[in-house]
Amino acid sequence: YRLLLLYTHLLGSSMSGVLNTVDQRTNLVGENRLELLLFSLNSRQVFAINVFKVREVIKVPSLTKMPGSHHHITGVASLRGVSVPVIDLRAAIGFPPSRLDNQEENLIITEYNRTVQGFLVGQVRNIINTAWTEIQPPPKTAGRANYLTAITQIKDSKGSEIVEIIDVEKVLAQIIDYDISISEGVLDNNLVNEMVGRNVLIVDDSSTARSQVKGTLSQLGLNIIECRDGLEALNLLKSWSDEGKNVVEELLLMITDAEMPEMDGYKLTHEVRSDPRMKDLYITLNTSLSGSFNEAMVEKVGCDRFISKFQPDLLVEVAQDRLRDILS
């Protein structure tokens, strides 16, 4: 929340009326709502990312070139003594590279998966408050190569326009090598045979995130079932229950993202806990959002565990701990 208050300070008093109090923000996410920071990439299209991942928005400072760095990294900014890599978001999603001499260029400083990075963008517009039910997956005709995790529509006095929500995890995955190998000593050899064939449900709107979790847990012989959002997962679980299946016996555990179109991970957990047929399902929140925020939300909605994304050893430990509980 300090990050959000800092963001208000940096953008000036004109933005202060847009941001809510800390308590209101906690309720916002718990009620299947979110806030999006809208920006352009010097084109007519409007893009967005979740405000909860934004540390601050600043004008582009002096950048230091990094020889040998990824071609989408424009340079490194020194912010209060910390070196922050700056990613050209235009180039990263397939547009022509940004021009640093453009007066509308801004830097969005974000924190994803325990790393801090800046995204070079064009004009930063405003923040909108919306419901996850208003957020839709990209059209299937967009193909797998697109860098969108979702789209939504906003309306004002001038009409309506499409907002494209960036799949930041996919952008980062092409720059940062996310290793899915399991460290020596993490795997419990006494559980290897017991793991094989058990089902794990992965719920995440990012195909990149799903593939990384699947790539990690498949090494244990686990069978991975994938859903792209909370509503799809809830409907699947309800259909199993309606068929007379015991969800807790069908699944070793469910691993869910927090931010997803139509229904977020918090709302999904709340709905599961509210259904007597599946209330004891073991649920792990696996998200790139900040740990301090999620620890409060985990307690509020009733998740069993919370881990930050892209930590293969922790994913293995969660699966093994759950299996030990079942076998004990």
Side-chain angles (χ1 to χ4, degrees):
Y1 303 115
R2 176 189 61 80
L3 306 181
L4 294 170
L5 297 176
L6 177 60
Y7 172 74
T8 305
H9 171 73
L10 289 165
L11 287 188
S13 59
S14 62
M15 293 297 293
S16 61
V18 183
L19 300 175
N20 296 322
T21 64
V22 170
D23 288 341
Q24 288 172 325
R25 284 183 174 278
T26 304
N27 292 332
L28 182 77
V29 179
E31 295 301 321
N32 208 35
R33 298 189 66 84
L34 76 159
E35 286 183 326
L36 295 171
L37 175 63
L38 305 187
F39 58 90
S40 71
L41 293 174
N42 298 321
S43 66
R44 292 185 178 181
Q45 293 164 267
V46 181
F47 297 92
I49 60 174
N50 194 321
V51 168
F52 273 106
K53 295 180 178 178
V54 176
R55 278 196 168 194
E56 56 184 299
V57 178
I58 59 175
K59 298 304 293 183
V60 183
S62 298
L63 302 179
T64 302
K65 291 289 186 180
M66 293 283 289
S69 62
H70 193 277
H71 58 279
H72 292 327
I73 295 182
T74 304
V76 173
S78 180
L79 303 180
R80 292 174 291 281
V82 177
S83 296
V84 177
V86 174
I87 298 167
D88 184 347
L89 193 54
R90 274 179 58 86
I93 66 171
F95 287 158
S98 300
R99 292 175 50 194
L100 288 176
D101 58 352
N102 190 316
Q103 294 300 309
E104 288 193 344
E105 292 295 315
N106 290 277
L107 201 57
I108 302 177
I109 307 299
T110 66
E111 183 173 1
Y112 281 82
N113 310 324
R114 309 169 312 282
T115 65
V116 177
Q117 52 279 310
F119 289 106
L120 190 62
V121 301
Q123 181 185 18
V124 175
R125 292 182 33 166
N126 62 305
I127 294 172
I128 62 167
N129 179 317
T130 188
W132 276 112
T133 52
E134 299 298 319
I135 309 295
Q136 303 297 321
K140 292 183 178 179
T141 52
R144 294 185 178 182
N146 76 84
Y147 284 89
L148 304 181
T149 188
I151 60 173
T152 190
Q153 194 171 61
I154 57 174
K155 298 179 181 179
D156 56 28
S157 58
K158 298 178 182 178
S160 63
E161 57 185 339
I162 297 293
V163 175
E164 301 172 86
I165 302 172
I166 299 288
D167 186 348
V168 177
E169 285 159 357
K170 184 172 183 177
V171 172
L172 292 176
Q174 67 180 348
I175 298 172
I176 302 171
D177 183 20
Y178 289 122
D179 189 3
I180 62 168
S181 61
I182 303 168
S183 300
E184 186 176 354
V186 171
L187 191 60
D188 186 342
N189 291 325
N190 296 322
L191 297 175
V192 170
N193 292 333
E194 292 287 349
M195 284 281 184
V196 176
R198 292 181 183 266
N199 296 321
V200 173
L201 177 60
I202 299 173
V203 191
D204 201 306
D205 60 320
S206 170
S207 59
T208 298
R210 289 198 310 273
S211 67
Q212 288 165 338
V213 176
K214 183 177 181 178
T216 299
L217 296 183
S218 294
Q219 298 175 71
L220 308 182
L222 292 166
N223 179 48
I224 307 301
I225 303 167
E226 299 180 51
C227 287
R228 293 176 297 176
D229 60 66
L231 185 59
E232 182 182 348
L234 183 63
N235 288 338
L236 174 64
L237 296 174
K238 284 185 173 180
S239 70
W240 286 355
S241 297
D242 292 343
E243 293 169 6
K245 294 180 179 179
N246 186 324
V247 169
V248 178
E249 293 180 357
E250 290 289 329
L251 294 172
L252 178 65
L253 74 160
M254 177 172 73
I255 300 173
T256 179
D257 187 20
E259 304 174 87
M260 292 177 289
E262 301 207 65
M263 180 180 290
D264 66 27
Y266 310 112
K267 182 68 172 176
L268 170 61
T269 302
H270 173 76
E271 293 296 322
V272 169
R273 294 290 183 245
S274 299
D275 191 324
R277 301 173 300 174
M278 61 182 81
K279 64 181 179 64
D280 294 324
L281 177 63
Y282 195 91
I283 303 174
T284 296
L285 191 70
N286 183 43
T287 174
S288 55
L289 290 171
S290 64
S292 58
F293 171 77
N294 275 295
E295 286 164 9
M297 289 305 302
V298 163
E299 183 177 351
K300 180 176 180 179
V301 301
C303 290
D304 294 287
R305 290 280 294 271
F306 157 66
I307 58 174
S308 297
K309 278 188 174 178
F310 307 136
Q311 298 187 79
D313 289 350
L314 278 180
L315 282 170
V316 172
E317 288 175 8
V318 166
Q320 292 185 152
D321 287 346
R322 173 55 180 158
L323 185 54
R324 289 189 189 100
D325 289 341
I326 292 175
L327 298 176
S328 63

